[in-house]
Amino acid sequence: MQTGKCSIAIDGPAGAGKSSVARILAERLGFLHIDTGALYRVLTLQVMREGVKPTEAVDVVRVAKAAKIQIVPGPQGIKVLLDGEDVSDAIREPAVSENVSLVAQHAEVRDYLLVLQRQLAADGGTVMDGRDIGTVVLPDAELKIFLTASAEERARRRMKELRTQGHKVTYKDVLLSIRARDNLDAERLVAPLRAAADAIPIDTTGKDVDAVVEEILGYLSAVGGLEGCSMDS
Ligand code: DC
């Protein structure tokens, strides 16, 4: 049930818990969850399938324009469709993670996905997570949260997730990959990862998802002017 017109922006680095927190928060509020990282990932998957170099902006945009990307909300979280194929698992493969920051660095690619992201959030009642939601995509979001956690904790979470999916990965490799992605995301010229001036920072190190969701719900009720963001769904 969609009860409000408000948008909640959740940003932060890889492994800070954005997607899990955003999904449960959206469920609690009856809002739509939009995981914008999934958009960059699905495009990266298609770039790889087509043998296009992720560093070539013009080719990446051509792939983006030709691909039909759909985000379908469901009880287990969002499903991501690429030309009708469910690629929700494929976009989480380590090879996609390795290349996605390269795809996400191009201004042309970001402009293209910006339009798509704003269309997805146009009706409000949205929890959107990513890197530049509070700063670029939804600068007028009623509530902005910036999640962080130590690189070590983020690597441990990611390693657990990958091992559950059957990947043989070492802690050291995952930590290196997290750090590399942090650098690329934070240092790129266009829409780098940074907290909006009016974002509320939450360090999730040592906290479980439910505790973080409760904290955000607390901020939501504490902030005035959120009449549309009904919580009694
Ligand atoms: O949240 P994630 O790990 O699924 O994101 C994948 C990549 O996409 C991440 O390395 C940076 C990029 N990204 C971005 O640049 N802007 C966003 N709003 C979301 C993700």
mmCIF file of all heavy atoms in Angstrom, residues 7 32 34 36 39 110-124 126 128 132-141 191:
data_model
loop_
_atom_site.group_PDB
_atom_site.id
_atom_site.type_symbol
_atom_site.label_atom_id
_atom_site.label_comp_id
_atom_site.label_asym_id
_atom_site.label_seq_id
_atom_site.Cartn_x
_atom_site.Cartn_y
_atom_site.Cartn_z
ATOM 1 N N SER A 7 9.643 11.328 -0.346
ATOM 2 C CA SER A 7 10.753 10.503 -0.800
ATOM 3 C C SER A 7 11.817 10.479 0.284
ATOM 4 O O SER A 7 12.097 11.502 0.909
ATOM 5 C CB SER A 7 11.365 11.091 -2.067
ATOM 6 O OG SER A 7 10.421 11.058 -3.099
ATOM 7 N N LEU A 32 7.574 2.373 -2.113
ATOM 8 C CA LEU A 32 8.278 1.644 -3.153
ATOM 9 C C LEU A 32 9.788 1.768 -2.912
ATOM 10 O O LEU A 32 10.283 2.868 -2.692
ATOM 11 C CB LEU A 32 7.909 2.263 -4.503
ATOM 12 C CG LEU A 32 8.536 1.682 -5.756
ATOM 13 C CD1 LEU A 32 8.057 0.253 -5.978
ATOM 14 C CD2 LEU A 32 8.178 2.540 -6.966
ATOM 15 N N ILE A 34 13.461 1.635 -4.406
ATOM 16 C CA ILE A 34 14.211 1.656 -5.668
ATOM 17 C C ILE A 34 15.703 1.617 -5.362
ATOM 18 O O ILE A 34 16.261 2.551 -4.788
ATOM 19 C CB ILE A 34 13.863 2.903 -6.509
ATOM 20 C CG1 ILE A 34 12.363 2.924 -6.804
ATOM 21 C CG2 ILE A 34 14.650 2.901 -7.815
ATOM 22 C CD1 ILE A 34 11.860 4.256 -7.269
ATOM 23 N N THR A 36 19.014 1.986 -6.767
ATOM 24 C CA THR A 36 19.563 2.553 -8.010
ATOM 25 C C THR A 36 20.858 1.865 -8.429
ATOM 26 O O THR A 36 21.213 1.874 -9.607
ATOM 27 C CB THR A 36 19.796 4.074 -7.888
ATOM 28 O OG1 THR A 36 20.753 4.310 -6.855
ATOM 29 C CG2 THR A 36 18.506 4.808 -7.600
ATOM 30 N N LEU A 39 20.342 -0.464 -11.219
ATOM 31 C CA LEU A 39 20.281 0.094 -12.580
ATOM 32 C C LEU A 39 21.680 0.139 -13.196
ATOM 33 O O LEU A 39 21.880 -0.219 -14.361
ATOM 34 C CB LEU A 39 19.696 1.511 -12.556
ATOM 35 C CG LEU A 39 18.236 1.651 -12.118
ATOM 36 C CD1 LEU A 39 17.845 3.114 -12.023
ATOM 37 C CD2 LEU A 39 17.325 0.930 -13.109
ATOM 38 N N ARG A 110 25.312 8.658 -16.510
ATOM 39 C CA ARG A 110 24.602 9.118 -15.314
ATOM 40 C C ARG A 110 23.404 9.976 -15.709
ATOM 41 O O ARG A 110 22.334 9.875 -15.115
ATOM 42 C CB ARG A 110 25.544 9.883 -14.384
ATOM 43 C CG ARG A 110 26.773 9.093 -13.966
ATOM 44 C CD ARG A 110 27.419 9.665 -12.730
ATOM 45 N NE ARG A 110 26.584 9.496 -11.564
ATOM 46 C CZ ARG A 110 26.558 8.405 -10.813
ATOM 47 N NH1 ARG A 110 27.340 7.377 -11.081
ATOM 48 N NH2 ARG A 110 25.750 8.329 -9.779
ATOM 49 N N ASP A 111 23.582 10.827 -16.735
ATOM 50 C CA ASP A 111 22.466 11.667 -17.195
ATOM 51 C C ASP A 111 21.312 10.801 -17.679
ATOM 52 O O ASP A 111 20.151 11.073 -17.403
ATOM 53 C CB ASP A 111 22.911 12.570 -18.359
ATOM 54 C CG ASP A 111 23.757 13.726 -17.855
ATOM 55 O OD1 ASP A 111 23.785 13.938 -16.624
ATOM 56 O OD2 ASP A 111 24.391 14.401 -18.692
ATOM 57 N N TYR A 112 21.671 9.765 -18.414
ATOM 58 C CA TYR A 112 20.645 8.875 -18.961
ATOM 59 C C TYR A 112 19.875 8.185 -17.826
ATOM 60 O O TYR A 112 18.647 8.160 -17.817
ATOM 61 C CB TYR A 112 21.299 7.837 -19.884
ATOM 62 C CG TYR A 112 20.285 6.949 -20.549
ATOM 63 C CD1 TYR A 112 19.539 7.409 -21.630
ATOM 64 C CD2 TYR A 112 20.043 5.669 -20.073
ATOM 65 C CE1 TYR A 112 18.583 6.606 -22.228
ATOM 66 C CE2 TYR A 112 19.091 4.858 -20.663
ATOM 67 C CZ TYR A 112 18.363 5.334 -21.736
ATOM 68 O OH TYR A 112 17.405 4.549 -22.321
ATOM 69 N N LEU A 113 20.620 7.666 -16.846
ATOM 70 C CA LEU A 113 19.959 6.952 -15.745
ATOM 71 C C LEU A 113 19.256 7.908 -14.780
ATOM 72 O O LEU A 113 18.310 7.520 -14.099
ATOM 73 C CB LEU A 113 20.960 6.063 -15.000
ATOM 74 C CG LEU A 113 21.463 4.848 -15.784
ATOM 75 C CD1 LEU A 113 22.394 3.995 -14.925
ATOM 76 C CD2 LEU A 113 20.301 3.969 -16.273
ATOM 77 N N LEU A 114 19.709 9.164 -14.762
ATOM 78 C CA LEU A 114 19.075 10.163 -13.886
ATOM 79 C C LEU A 114 17.598 10.331 -14.252
ATOM 80 O O LEU A 114 16.721 10.345 -13.390
ATOM 81 C CB LEU A 114 19.814 11.502 -14.021
ATOM 82 C CG LEU A 114 19.279 12.675 -13.207
ATOM 83 C CD1 LEU A 114 19.379 12.376 -11.712
ATOM 84 C CD2 LEU A 114 20.042 13.949 -13.528
ATOM 85 N N VAL A 115 17.345 10.426 -15.543
ATOM 86 C CA VAL A 115 15.964 10.594 -16.029
ATOM 87 C C VAL A 115 15.115 9.399 -15.594
ATOM 88 O O VAL A 115 14.013 9.546 -15.057
ATOM 89 C CB VAL A 115 15.959 10.739 -17.575
ATOM 90 C CG1 VAL A 115 14.546 10.805 -18.115
ATOM 91 C CG2 VAL A 115 16.772 11.958 -17.997
ATOM 92 N N LEU A 116 15.674 8.210 -15.780
ATOM 93 C CA LEU A 116 14.969 6.978 -15.415
ATOM 94 C C LEU A 116 14.669 6.948 -13.908
ATOM 95 O O LEU A 116 13.559 6.631 -13.474
ATOM 96 C CB LEU A 116 15.859 5.797 -15.808
ATOM 97 C CG LEU A 116 15.278 4.400 -15.789
ATOM 98 C CD1 LEU A 116 14.083 4.316 -16.734
ATOM 99 C CD2 LEU A 116 16.338 3.390 -16.235
ATOM 100 N N GLN A 117 15.660 7.334 -13.108
ATOM 101 C CA GLN A 117 15.482 7.308 -11.651
ATOM 102 C C GLN A 117 14.408 8.294 -11.210
ATOM 103 O O GLN A 117 13.576 7.987 -10.359
ATOM 104 C CB GLN A 117 16.816 7.643 -10.961
ATOM 105 C CG GLN A 117 17.859 6.550 -11.124
ATOM 106 C CD GLN A 117 19.235 7.013 -10.681
ATOM 107 O OE1 GLN A 117 19.576 6.959 -9.516
ATOM 108 N NE2 GLN A 117 20.024 7.484 -11.620
ATOM 109 N N ARG A 118 14.406 9.488 -11.811
ATOM 110 C CA ARG A 118 13.396 10.483 -11.417
ATOM 111 C C ARG A 118 11.995 10.042 -11.847
ATOM 112 O O ARG A 118 11.033 10.283 -11.134
ATOM 113 C CB ARG A 118 13.747 11.858 -12.002
ATOM 114 C CG ARG A 118 14.927 12.455 -11.260
ATOM 115 C CD ARG A 118 15.121 13.916 -11.599
ATOM 116 N NE ARG A 118 16.215 14.478 -10.828
ATOM 117 C CZ ARG A 118 17.003 15.453 -11.248
ATOM 118 N NH1 ARG A 118 16.812 15.986 -12.435
ATOM 119 N NH2 ARG A 118 17.971 15.901 -10.483
ATOM 120 N N GLN A 119 11.923 9.367 -12.996
ATOM 121 C CA GLN A 119 10.618 8.839 -13.434
ATOM 122 C C GLN A 119 10.111 7.807 -12.428
ATOM 123 O O GLN A 119 8.939 7.809 -12.055
ATOM 124 C CB GLN A 119 10.747 8.161 -14.799
ATOM 125 C CG GLN A 119 10.690 9.123 -15.970
ATOM 126 C CD GLN A 119 11.119 8.454 -17.277
ATOM 127 O OE1 GLN A 119 11.415 7.264 -17.327
ATOM 128 N NE2 GLN A 119 11.158 9.249 -18.332
ATOM 129 N N LEU A 120 11.025 6.947 -11.966
ATOM 130 C CA LEU A 120 10.624 5.888 -11.033
ATOM 131 C C LEU A 120 10.115 6.470 -9.712
ATOM 132 O O LEU A 120 9.247 5.903 -9.063
ATOM 133 C CB LEU A 120 11.811 4.949 -10.755
ATOM 134 C CG LEU A 120 12.203 3.998 -11.889
ATOM 135 C CD1 LEU A 120 13.552 3.342 -11.606
ATOM 136 C CD2 LEU A 120 11.143 2.920 -12.077
ATOM 137 N N ALA A 121 10.675 7.638 -9.321
ATOM 138 C CA ALA A 121 10.317 8.243 -8.033
ATOM 139 C C ALA A 121 9.232 9.309 -8.169
ATOM 140 O O ALA A 121 8.843 9.918 -7.169
ATOM 141 C CB ALA A 121 11.570 8.854 -7.399
ATOM 142 N N ALA A 122 8.740 9.509 -9.391
ATOM 143 C CA ALA A 122 7.876 10.677 -9.650
ATOM 144 C C ALA A 122 6.611 10.707 -8.805
ATOM 145 O O ALA A 122 6.138 11.777 -8.438
ATOM 146 C CB ALA A 122 7.508 10.722 -11.136
ATOM 147 N N ASP A 123 6.076 9.550 -8.458
ATOM 148 C CA ASP A 123 4.817 9.533 -7.705
ATOM 149 C C ASP A 123 5.022 9.673 -6.207
ATOM 150 O O ASP A 123 4.058 9.710 -5.445
ATOM 151 C CB ASP A 123 4.057 8.224 -7.983
ATOM 152 C CG ASP A 123 3.571 8.182 -9.425
ATOM 153 O OD1 ASP A 123 3.438 9.268 -10.023
ATOM 154 O OD2 ASP A 123 3.350 7.076 -9.946
ATOM 155 N N GLY A 124 6.279 9.740 -5.751
ATOM 156 C CA GLY A 124 6.534 9.832 -4.308
ATOM 157 C C GLY A 124 6.275 8.490 -3.644
ATOM 158 O O GLY A 124 6.080 7.475 -4.309
ATOM 159 N N THR A 126 8.466 6.858 -1.921
ATOM 160 C CA THR A 126 9.632 6.129 -2.412
ATOM 161 C C THR A 126 10.770 6.126 -1.396
ATOM 162 O O THR A 126 11.054 7.162 -0.790
ATOM 163 C CB THR A 126 10.171 6.842 -3.680
ATOM 164 O OG1 THR A 126 9.096 7.051 -4.563
ATOM 165 C CG2 THR A 126 11.241 6.038 -4.360
ATOM 166 N N MET A 128 14.606 5.509 -1.920
ATOM 167 C CA MET A 128 15.562 5.285 -3.006
ATOM 168 C C MET A 128 16.973 5.224 -2.422
ATOM 169 O O MET A 128 17.352 6.098 -1.650
ATOM 170 C CB MET A 128 15.446 6.436 -4.008
ATOM 171 C CG MET A 128 16.214 6.211 -5.284
ATOM 172 S SD MET A 128 15.883 7.516 -6.498
ATOM 173 C CE MET A 128 14.864 6.666 -7.667
ATOM 174 N N ASP A 132 24.206 9.019 -4.945
ATOM 175 C CA ASP A 132 24.006 10.461 -5.194
ATOM 176 C C ASP A 132 22.529 10.823 -5.137
ATOM 177 O O ASP A 132 22.095 11.754 -5.788
ATOM 178 C CB ASP A 132 24.560 10.818 -6.586
ATOM 179 C CG ASP A 132 23.873 10.030 -7.702
ATOM 180 O OD1 ASP A 132 23.225 9.006 -7.403
ATOM 181 O OD2 ASP A 132 23.982 10.448 -8.872
ATOM 182 N N ILE A 133 21.764 10.084 -4.355
ATOM 183 C CA ILE A 133 20.313 10.321 -4.331
ATOM 184 C C ILE A 133 20.012 11.656 -3.634
ATOM 185 O O ILE A 133 19.298 12.501 -4.174
ATOM 186 C CB ILE A 133 19.559 9.153 -3.648
ATOM 187 C CG1 ILE A 133 19.989 7.816 -4.252
ATOM 188 C CG2 ILE A 133 18.041 9.356 -3.769
ATOM 189 C CD1 ILE A 133 19.869 7.709 -5.752
ATOM 190 N N GLY A 134 20.597 11.847 -2.452
ATOM 191 C CA GLY A 134 20.341 13.089 -1.706
ATOM 192 C C GLY A 134 20.980 14.306 -2.342
ATOM 193 O O GLY A 134 20.502 15.433 -2.190
ATOM 194 N N THR A 135 22.073 14.102 -3.093
ATOM 195 C CA THR A 135 22.787 15.249 -3.666
ATOM 196 C C THR A 135 22.305 15.593 -5.075
ATOM 197 O O THR A 135 22.236 16.766 -5.436
ATOM 198 C CB THR A 135 24.308 14.952 -3.742
ATOM 199 O OG1 THR A 135 24.486 13.678 -4.369
ATOM 200 C CG2 THR A 135 24.948 14.962 -2.365
ATOM 201 N N VAL A 136 21.968 14.590 -5.885
ATOM 202 C CA VAL A 136 21.684 14.838 -7.306
ATOM 203 C C VAL A 136 20.281 14.376 -7.734
ATOM 204 O O VAL A 136 19.528 15.137 -8.338
ATOM 205 C CB VAL A 136 22.735 14.138 -8.209
ATOM 206 C CG1 VAL A 136 22.408 14.321 -9.681
ATOM 207 C CG2 VAL A 136 24.140 14.646 -7.905
ATOM 208 N N VAL A 137 19.954 13.140 -7.446
ATOM 209 C CA VAL A 137 18.721 12.554 -8.009
ATOM 210 C C VAL A 137 17.478 13.156 -7.357
ATOM 211 O O VAL A 137 16.568 13.604 -8.048
ATOM 212 C CB VAL A 137 18.727 11.007 -7.882
ATOM 213 C CG1 VAL A 137 17.464 10.412 -8.503
ATOM 214 C CG2 VAL A 137 19.965 10.419 -8.557
ATOM 215 N N LEU A 138 17.452 13.165 -6.031
ATOM 216 C CA LEU A 138 16.295 13.714 -5.317
ATOM 217 C C LEU A 138 16.764 14.745 -4.289
ATOM 218 O O LEU A 138 16.658 14.520 -3.075
ATOM 219 C CB LEU A 138 15.515 12.587 -4.607
ATOM 220 C CG LEU A 138 14.983 11.438 -5.476
ATOM 221 C CD1 LEU A 138 14.341 10.368 -4.594
ATOM 222 C CD2 LEU A 138 13.989 11.945 -6.517
ATOM 223 N N PRO A 139 17.269 15.894 -4.757
ATOM 224 C CA PRO A 139 17.803 16.864 -3.794
ATOM 225 C C PRO A 139 16.729 17.422 -2.856
ATOM 226 O O PRO A 139 17.053 17.969 -1.804
ATOM 227 C CB PRO A 139 18.388 17.972 -4.687
ATOM 228 C CG PRO A 139 17.767 17.777 -6.024
ATOM 229 C CD PRO A 139 17.413 16.339 -6.138
ATOM 230 N N ASP A 140 15.437 17.258 -3.233
ATOM 231 C CA ASP A 140 14.358 17.763 -2.377
ATOM 232 C C ASP A 140 13.725 16.668 -1.528
ATOM 233 O O ASP A 140 12.638 16.871 -0.975
ATOM 234 C CB ASP A 140 13.260 18.417 -3.242
ATOM 235 C CG ASP A 140 13.798 19.616 -4.004
ATOM 236 O OD1 ASP A 140 14.702 20.294 -3.457
ATOM 237 O OD2 ASP A 140 13.353 19.861 -5.143
ATOM 238 N N ALA A 141 14.378 15.521 -1.432
ATOM 239 C CA ALA A 141 13.820 14.424 -0.620
ATOM 240 C C ALA A 141 13.542 14.927 0.796
ATOM 241 O O ALA A 141 14.320 15.709 1.353
ATOM 242 C CB ALA A 141 14.799 13.261 -0.582
ATOM 243 N N ALA A 191 29.056 13.518 -9.894
ATOM 244 C CA ALA A 191 28.229 12.983 -8.810
ATOM 245 C C ALA A 191 28.983 11.987 -7.921
ATOM 246 O O ALA A 191 28.566 10.844 -7.758
ATOM 247 C CB ALA A 191 26.965 12.326 -9.390
#
